[in-house]
Amino acid sequence: LEEAVPKLRSFIPGLRNVVGCTAAGVVADAHGGGSDEIEERPAVSLCLAHLPGVTVNTFHVLPEDMPDADAEQAAWRAVVGERDTRTPPAQGNMLLFADPAFAVRGQLATLLEGLDYVYPGTVKVGAVASASGPRSGHLFCTTKRDILMQTSPSLYDTGVVGCVLTGDIEIEPIVAGGCRSVGPVFEVRKAGTNMLQE
């Protein structure tokens, strides 16, 4: 894994920003057409973009860098690398990838609430990293210092990585369930907020 980002950057000269995470399953084009889900063996799913008129700001947030839930807007803006708090928050789009422990501890929910407080009109999409077997998920992100160091692994195992996309871009998220049913079908008769009651 330590070689993934440097190798990718050597194949694609001028590649500046890499953001993503490991996954237990990867969907890819199958030989002969259609698609295939690759599980329990190495695979890469890659999306490359040339975005003229778009500013890409990558960031990595460690658990200890998280502001308090009731922190000022400036603290939440600093989390995503926005240093100039004299101007209004830049409304754009965010891609976020979290390590599983960050999500389980509730820090991902706190991060999303804080970002919604400062960036209410911003689309936020992403995933929680996973891996097959006993290894935990890993996060990839080229930060500003990594861009200067071509051989930096840009690999993290804790917190959240992401990027803010501002400028001439619009993201329209679509949620697609990829799970197959397991067991019998049940009818939900009563639910409240996020809890099944009957």
Side-chain angles (χ1 to χ4, degrees):
L1 284 177
E2 292 80 11
E3 296 176 17
V5 172
K7 213 166 247 193
L8 181 61
R9 293 178 75 194
S10 73
F11 292 148
I12 307 168
L15 179 65
R16 295 181 56 85
N17 301 297
V18 177
V19 177
C21 64
T22 57
V26 173
V27 176
D29 285 338
H31 297 291
S35 62
D36 191 16
E37 184 173 3
I38 301 166
E39 296 179 304
E40 297 183 18
R41 62 180 196 235
V44 172
S45 179
L46 185 64
C47 176
L48 297 174
H50 174 71
L51 303 169
V54 175
T55 301
V56 179
N57 181 39
T58 59
F59 58 89
H60 175 222
V61 182
L62 289 165
E64 57 268 22
D65 295 337
M66 284 283 294
D68 292 328
D70 59 351
E72 297 286 327
Q73 281 196 2
W76 290 107
R77 291 174 73 176
V79 162
V80 297
E82 203 177 334
R83 302 290 180 226
D84 184 5
T85 57
R86 295 170 293 168
T87 59
Q91 298 297 318
N93 303 276
M94 292 186 188
L95 304 177
L96 304 162
F97 301 94
D99 87 86
F102 192 85
V104 169
R105 287 190 303 263
Q107 291 175 302
L108 180 57
T110 302
L111 176 66
L112 291 172
E113 288 169 8
L115 294 177
D116 283 343
Y117 165 59
V118 180
Y119 307 98
T122 297
V123 173
K124 300 161 197 80
V125 295
V128 175
S130 63
S132 57
R135 299 183 69 180
S136 65
H138 294 284
L139 310 167
F140 298 96
C141 180
T142 52
T143 59
K144 286 184 170 88
R145 75 171 197 290
D146 297 327
I147 292 169
L148 300 174
M149 298 170 39
Q150 194 72 12
T151 59
S152 173
S154 306
L155 180 66
Y156 304 96
D157 60 3
T158 186
V160 170
V161 297
C163 65
V164 181
L165 306 167
T166 55
D168 190 17
I169 187 169
E170 184 177 329
I171 293 179
E172 294 184 29
I174 298 172
V175 178
C179 298
R180 289 178 286 245
S181 300
V182 176
V185 175
F186 293 97
E187 179 181 339
V188 176
R189 295 185 187 157
K190 187 176 179 186
T193 58
N194 63 344
M195 298 291 293
L196 292 177
Q197 296 170 343
E198 185 179 328

